[in-house]
Amino acid sequence: MDDGTGSDGTGAIARAFVTARRDGSALPDFPGAIPATLADAYRVQDAAIRLADGRIAGWKVGKIAPPVDGIDRLAGPIFADSIVAAGDTPPAMPVFGDGFAAAEAEFLLRIGTTPDPAKTNYTIEEATALIDAVHVGIEVASSPFPGINSHGPTATVSDFGNNNGLVIGPAADGWQTADVDAWPVTLTINGEEIGHATTATMLDGPFGAARFLLEHLARRGIAMEAGQWISSGAVTGVHPVSPGDRVVAGFDGRWTVACTMQAR
């Protein structure tokens, strides 16, 4: 694992992304050679996590389509200082105005029981048993590199999975006995509905995303902790946004969560 000083380019890419995120500046081009494999990309992510030196309070999961070497999801850290609980006034979430910015309606799963760090294989039922709450939310996907979503999953993984924030909305009460995959989800931007779908279109759904993440992090030697969040994947798609936009996500006609976008 590169510590930020290696000669393979891993450290240079990690430093460029971490510096740009700290400064709020854009990276017109990918800062080096795009990692050839997902393993290479996660080495960049690991180096960037160490350089960022922030507390990780959750992880995002995203879909890889088409799959790469049979892997159909990716992961990235969500830092504590970028997680906001929704209130009566929609929070203003920072995005890179000269980079990439998007909003995603997602189910947010909270880890209630610390997983066994040595366990690397889970059933969906075992993964679900570790969850103590499900909330509705919005993932803010934003990167200083505007082409982050146009250069394949290894580029996305390299920059924290393209995460720049999480808005935690109301608890989805009754999730334990409900068919969550049947709940309709909508996303509107500035009052216009942009997306409408259910989690039935999302591989094996939000709890399948939890299963993937538990296995993935254990194999990377990263321990999950009780209280951390899993942003389980975009239900209605990845919808580009700009500073000043107002985003509202609706879930099963019962819960909504909103935020606005502001330039960093």
Side-chain angles (χ1 to χ4, degrees):
M1 202 178 285
D2 191 293
D3 64 0
T5 62
S7 60
D8 65 352
T10 297
I13 296 169
R15 281 194 301 274
F17 275 120
V18 170
T19 299
R21 281 176 171 267
R22 283 176 175 165
D23 296 345
S25 57
L27 290 171
D29 301 300
F30 192 89
I34 295 175
T37 68
L38 286 171
D40 291 339
Y42 283 115
R43 280 191 283 273
V44 174
Q45 189 182 107
D46 288 336
I49 288 171
R50 287 191 293 275
L51 290 167
D53 194 28
R55 183 172 72 86
I56 294 174
W59 291 83
K60 64 86 55 78
V61 176
K63 182 178 179 180
I64 297 176
V68 174
D69 296 329
I71 299 173
D72 56 14
R73 285 183 167 109
L74 58 78
I78 306 174
F79 292 98
D81 61 3
S82 69
I83 297 179
V84 177
D88 293 337
T89 301
M93 301 298 291
V95 294
F96 295 92
D98 293 325
F100 176 89
E104 305 171 13
E106 308 208 3
F107 286 99
L108 312 182
L109 318 182
R110 190 177 67 194
I111 295 290
T113 302
T114 298
D116 177 356
K119 183 175 173 63
T120 57
N121 289 284
Y122 285 83
T123 64
I124 290 181
E125 291 73 21
E126 289 173 330
T128 303
L130 297 177
I131 305 301
D132 73 348
V134 174
H135 285 238
V136 302
I138 296 172
E139 183 199 352
V140 178
S142 191
S143 168
F145 174 45
I148 190 78
N149 266 16
S150 303
H151 288 75
T154 63
T156 301
V157 165
S158 297
D159 187 25
F160 298 141
N162 193 17
N163 176 268
N164 199 53
L166 194 65
V167 182
I168 300 173
D173 296 326
W175 64 271
Q176 298 93 332
T177 56
D179 180 7
V180 175
D181 283 343
W183 289 351
V185 178
T186 60
L187 188 133
T188 66
I189 300 175
N190 300 327
E192 179 183 356
E193 185 175 296
I194 303 296
H196 188 118
T198 69
T199 59
T201 65
M202 291 174 51
L203 301 174
D204 50 5
F207 301 104
R211 174 203 56 79
F212 158 81
L213 185 66
L214 289 163
E215 295 181 347
H216 169 81
L217 293 180
R219 291 167 184 166
R220 283 172 68 185
I222 298 174
M224 289 202 77
E225 301 174 1
Q228 289 184 325
W229 292 93
I230 301 171
S231 191
S232 62
V235 182
T236 68
V238 179
H239 306 290
V241 292
S242 299
D245 285 346
R246 186 176 192 273
V247 177
V248 180
F251 297 79
D252 198 37
R254 291 185 284 170
W255 307 289
T256 60
V257 55
C259 65
T260 59
M261 302 295 161
Q262 68 176 11
R264 289 200 52 177

